């Protein structure tokens, strides 16, 4: 998931569609060898596209990635990442390139 300015944009959109015209074999199971290749390639493409959307955001000057590990659930991880990504204090610190993550220096 990405956040550029915390608002919804009608212009930032990625879609994937399939009509069978490629002639690729049908993937009928997550255990299928082709599924693993397709999933890996799709994940890589989606990461690149979402990064480009964030970098191309109006006024964007920094790209910050937030990784949450060992969360109790995906929903919990998403909530934690969202709180950090939408924090004005974090955004200001990143923009100013002076994180000052504590009070003591």
């Amino acid at each position: 998931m990405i956040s550029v300015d915390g608002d919804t944009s009608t212009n930032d959109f990625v879609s994937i569609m399939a009509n069978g015209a490629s002639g690729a074999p049908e993937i009928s199971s997550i255990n299928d060898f082709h599924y693993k290749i397709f999933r890996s390639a799709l994940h890589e493409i989606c990461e690149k596209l979402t990064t480009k959307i964030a970098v191309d955001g109006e006024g964007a000057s920094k790209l910050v990635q937030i990784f949450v590990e060992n969360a109790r659930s995906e929903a919990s991880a998403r909530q934690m990442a969202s709180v950090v990504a939408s924090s004005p204090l974090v955004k200001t610190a990143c923009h100013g390139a002076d994180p000052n993550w504590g009070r003591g220096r």
Side-chain angles (χ1 to χ4, degrees):
M1 74 186 192
I2 62 173
S3 173
V4 175
D5 57 10
D7 205 352
T8 302
S9 172
T10 59
N11 300 324
D12 299 330
F13 176 77
V14 176
S15 177
I16 181 169
M17 295 182 268
N19 64 5
S22 72
E26 182 178 333
I27 299 171
S28 59
S29 167
I30 63 171
N31 297 317
D32 187 325
F33 174 72
H34 294 102
Y35 169 79
K36 293 174 181 161
I37 293 172
F38 176 77
R39 183 175 182 227
S40 176
L42 181 60
H43 187 268
E44 184 178 337
I45 290 167
C46 288
E47 278 189 345
K48 288 180 181 180
L49 288 173
T50 55
T51 298
K52 286 183 180 282
I53 289 171
V55 168
D56 289 343
E58 186 175 345
S61 62
K62 306 277 190 295
L63 174 66
V64 177
Q65 293 181 305
I66 301 165
F67 297 90
V68 178
E69 297 179 351
N70 301 319
R72 290 187 176 152
S73 67
E74 184 173 339
S76 177
R78 286 178 177 272
Q79 182 182 15
M80 286 184 266
S82 181
V83 167
V84 173
S86 62
S87 165
L89 182 61
V90 171
K91 289 179 184 181
T92 301
C94 291
H95 180 73
D98 182 21
N100 187 20
W101 296 121
R103 296 288 179 212
R105 278 196 163 184

